[in-house]
Amino acid sequence: AMASVAETSPVAPLFQAAAIAADVGDGDGPSVWAFAWSVACEFGWFGAGYVVILVLIRTGLLQKLFPGLFRGASPKGAAQRRLAMKNLQAAASAGELDAVREAWGREKARGPLPLDALKDVLPALLAEAPDAAVAELAGHLEQYPGTHRQPATLNALVEAFAHAERPDLARAFVAELQHRLGLQGDERTRE
């Protein structure tokens, strides 16, 4: 059965070359050529794996498949993230809602945003699509369930909705987080 697999395989010429290389020698076992062929095959497979990983990194697929793998991996990446958050907050302070939405779209996939950034993003989301703001913000919190699970965070975001004069959306946001994440507010949330 093993011979039939080797004969019908698309890599059959490789099996044949390895068999020929193993038979060449002085009769005392595998030859130097067989060892060299084995080493060359190992380097070939390692190189192919390297190329595949490199392509996945360059296209961004590896980060999408394993989002936590590269988060905070380098000091340069952490510095770029802090700069992006400062730029987002500066754009929000200046009232540049388009820049805030652009930064939100770019940064939300890179990891959880800090609470201050979430509060700065909220007016931009409400200006673009008020009804979608609840689902989008709750979706971000659901994507990174290990962060922002404290009632204080929920209260701060509810206050941001109220500050935007949208108490109806604040109630919807609380209900959405209770449904999606099982988060329960405290007495302050219910006020």
Side-chain angles (χ1 to χ4, degrees):
M2 184 64 172
S4 65
V5 171
E7 291 170 2
T8 60
S9 170
V11 292
L14 292 176
F15 288 133
Q16 292 169 353
I20 291 169
D23 287 339
V24 176
D26 56 5
D28 292 333
S31 71
V32 172
W33 294 110
F35 177 73
W37 176 254
S38 175
V39 169
C41 287
E42 287 294 326
F43 277 118
W45 284 114
F46 178 80
Y50 176 78
V51 168
V52 167
I53 296 295
L54 188 63
V55 167
L56 289 173
I57 289 172
R58 299 283 171 133
T59 59
L61 290 174
L62 196 60
Q63 289 88 343
K64 288 181 183 175
L65 292 172
F66 305 101
L69 187 63
F70 295 101
R71 192 175 313 128
S74 72
K76 183 180 177 183
Q80 288 175 340
R81 177 73 171 180
R82 282 191 303 274
L83 179 63
M85 292 301 104
K86 286 182 181 182
N87 288 339
L88 184 146
Q89 290 171 337
S93 296
E96 299 172 2
L97 299 181
D98 291 334
V100 173
R101 281 192 297 269
E102 181 182 320
W104 163 254
R106 186 178 54 248
E107 295 299 322
K108 67 181 177 181
R110 291 185 61 205
L113 272 70
L115 178 59
D116 290 339
L118 291 174
K119 290 192 309 188
D120 288 337
V121 163
L122 187 60
L125 294 177
L126 290 173
E128 182 180 20
D131 296 332
V134 169
E136 193 161 347
L137 202 55
H140 179 72
L141 295 177
E142 183 179 32
Q143 186 176 1
Y144 304 102
T147 58
H148 304 307
R149 295 196 60 86
Q150 305 81 10
T153 301
L154 177 60
N155 293 340
L157 292 171
V158 168
E159 286 176 11
F161 275 106
H163 182 61
E165 299 179 2
R166 294 302 306 258
D168 57 324
L169 293 179
R171 285 187 293 277
F173 182 67
V174 170
E176 190 76 18
L177 288 183
Q178 287 174 343
H179 172 72
R180 288 185 184 206
L181 299 173
L183 289 181
Q184 298 297 321
D186 55 11
E187 298 82 33
R188 189 170 169 211
T189 307
R190 291 180 198 88
E191 293 175 1

